[in-house]
Amino acid sequence: MTSGLWELVLKGVWVTIQLLVCSALLATAVSFVVGVARTHRLWIVRFLAGFYTEVFRGTSALVMIFWVFFVLPPAFGWQLVPLWAGTLALGLTYGAYGAEIVRGGLRAVDPAQKEGGIALSFTPWQRMRLILLPQAVPEMIPPFSNLLIELLKGTALVSVMGMGDLAFSGNLVRLALQESAEIYTYILLIYFVIAFALTRVMRGLEKKLKAGVGKAPAKKKTVLPEPVEIEAGAR
């Protein structure tokens, strides 16, 4: 490939990374808000959170992109740029999957931990912030890592909007060179490298979060008193 075509591919990589970061941040925020709401004591909050999860988890991300970019603008009279339309559609869709990860992680914490917080007169927010989340978040990292990789692959869907991501740029290069095998092999390798780097980062984060969880307290050395010698004949 010429330098100009490689530049086009690199621009597509940068757009994909931007979309991945923005949609991952939105999906993370949605995951924790909705996931915590799924465990709320009020049934109406649990119902609304569950309704959102079922709707966005049961619909296609591709169709959601069509809705956000093509259907909503005529209805509301505004038009999102492709980057923000893709961020909104992917963030809301994958956030619904993340919400189930958060809910499952919170439910997996030993109920005795929650009961201990109640015994200490902690408020529900204090129990969540100080007891449940510090123990649940490290266990959420592996499934969140898988979800992040799925989100990376899902970013290719935005090419239907004409957005110059990696998949769209690769297709333009294929049309220019009339060579499919070489171009798509390069695209596959680039996606793999990004996914591999994300996996390494998430594993490092998991180790860091688990470093201080579940450690036994340090044992204190017991100092024995020195023996006292008793003189012969002492009474």
Side-chain angles (χ1 to χ4, degrees):
M1 288 195 302
T2 64
S3 59
L5 293 178
W6 272 115
E7 184 179 353
L8 180 61
V9 172
L10 292 178
K11 287 182 178 179
V13 173
W14 173 237
V15 171
T16 295
I17 292 175
Q18 285 182 293
L19 179 61
L20 175 64
V21 171
C22 293
S23 55
L25 290 175
L26 177 59
T28 301
V30 170
S31 297
F32 278 92
V33 171
V34 178
V36 171
R38 293 292 305 273
T39 65
H40 201 274
R41 64 182 183 277
L42 296 179
W43 72 270
I44 185 63
V45 177
R46 297 196 304 271
F47 172 78
L48 292 176
F51 179 77
Y52 165 84
T53 302
E54 294 301 327
V55 168
F56 280 87
R57 196 173 55 170
T59 54
S60 168
L62 179 61
V63 177
M64 190 60 62
I65 290 174
F66 282 136
W67 262 88
V68 173
F69 193 69
F70 296 109
V71 178
L72 293 183
F76 293 94
W78 45 260
Q79 178 71 59
L80 287 174
V81 297
L83 177 62
W84 297 122
T87 296
L88 185 62
L90 294 176
L92 293 178
T93 300
Y94 285 88
Y97 291 96
E100 286 299 285
I101 296 175
V102 173
R103 184 185 68 86
L106 293 175
R107 294 294 189 189
V109 177
D110 190 347
Q113 301 290 327
K114 182 178 179 180
E115 294 170 1
I118 296 174
L120 293 172
S121 299
F122 284 2
T123 63
W125 169 240
Q126 287 176 323
R127 293 197 299 269
M128 182 65 65
R129 181 171 59 90
L130 301 176
I131 298 177
L132 298 180
L133 284 178
Q135 298 181 68
V137 168
E139 303 302 325
M140 300 176 192
I141 297 299
F144 265 126
S145 179
N146 291 334
L147 188 62
L148 184 60
I149 302 303
E150 290 296 324
L151 178 56
L152 169 64
K153 293 184 287 187
T155 57
L157 297 175
V158 301
S159 59
V160 299
M161 299 185 293
M163 186 174 173
D165 70 313
L166 179 57
F168 186 81
S169 300
N171 189 50
L172 292 180
V173 174
R174 182 189 67 84
L175 293 174
L177 298 179
Q178 294 297 313
E179 179 64 44
S180 298
E182 179 184 358
I183 302 305
Y184 284 128
T185 300
Y186 287 145
I187 300 303
L188 284 175
L189 289 175
I190 292 173
Y191 274 115
F192 172 77
V193 169
I194 298 175
F196 183 79
L198 291 174
T199 303
R200 297 291 101 186
V201 171
M202 294 298 285
R203 285 186 180 179
L205 179 61
E206 181 184 3
K207 290 180 180 179
K208 184 176 180 180
L209 291 176
K210 286 186 175 181
V213 178
K215 284 189 174 182
K219 295 182 178 180
K220 296 183 178 180
K221 294 183 179 180
T222 304
V223 180
L224 298 176
E226 296 182 359
V228 179
E229 296 183 359
I230 302 177
E231 297 181 0
R235 297 294 180 181

